[in-house]
Amino acid sequence: MAKIQVTLDASKLRNLISTRSYESKDGTNVNVQEVKFELVEVKEPKQIFAKDTMRIVKTHFACVIQTKEEREVKADTVYIGEGFTSYWDDAKKLAPVQQPQEEQVDLPF
């Protein structure tokens, strides 16, 4: 299994903070500050680091979500970070482990 590590530029995130509030199940009002962004897969992944059994590849980029109007006028994309996927190649070299099969028991109900 590969994992993706995302690194975001904090100086750009400060301008993207939005606040919303909602009422929880117990009736209390909750205020939340959040940053919404898109994580997009790159067309051509780039290998950043390689070792005997591990590779780190730049596979994604993070950008500000554009509005419909911004997309229509083809506004520039605001990049706020990037995503790296770690691949562990030693898993291919190991033989798959056989799991013992459990006996099926017919239950009377």
Side-chain angles (χ1 to χ4, degrees):
M1 177 173 87
K3 70 175 185 175
I4 300 172
Q5 177 182 0
V6 179
T7 304
L8 301 173
D9 185 346
S11 65
K12 293 180 181 178
L13 292 178
R14 289 184 185 96
N15 300 328
L16 302 174
I17 296 174
S18 63
T19 304
R20 68 178 175 94
S21 61
Y22 64 92
E23 189 173 314
S24 66
K25 290 181 181 180
D26 62 1
T28 58
N29 193 24
V30 178
N31 293 319
V32 178
Q33 288 186 333
E34 57 191 10
V35 175
K36 293 184 179 181
F37 65 94
E38 294 179 332
L39 188 61
V40 182
E41 191 172 356
V42 296
K43 292 178 183 175
E44 296 179 20
K46 181 180 177 185
Q47 184 165 297
I48 304 298
F49 177 79
K51 209 172 182 179
D52 294 338
T53 59
M54 190 260 254
R55 295 180 293 130
I56 298 176
V57 181
K58 181 179 176 183
T59 55
H60 296 78
F61 66 87
C63 61
V64 174
I65 299 173
Q66 291 184 332
T67 63
K68 181 180 177 183
E69 293 79 20
E70 290 172 330
R71 287 190 304 272
E72 287 174 351
V73 297
K74 300 193 186 281
D76 290 338
T77 302
V78 178
Y79 297 98
I80 59 172
E82 51 197 7
F84 299 95
T85 304
S86 300
Y87 295 101
W88 295 91
D89 295 330
D90 60 348
K92 296 177 192 173
K93 298 174 186 172
L94 298 176
V97 177
Q98 294 282 339
Q99 296 292 332
Q101 294 185 359
E102 297 180 20
E103 293 181 24
Q104 293 185 355
V105 178
D106 289 334
L107 299 175
F109 51 99

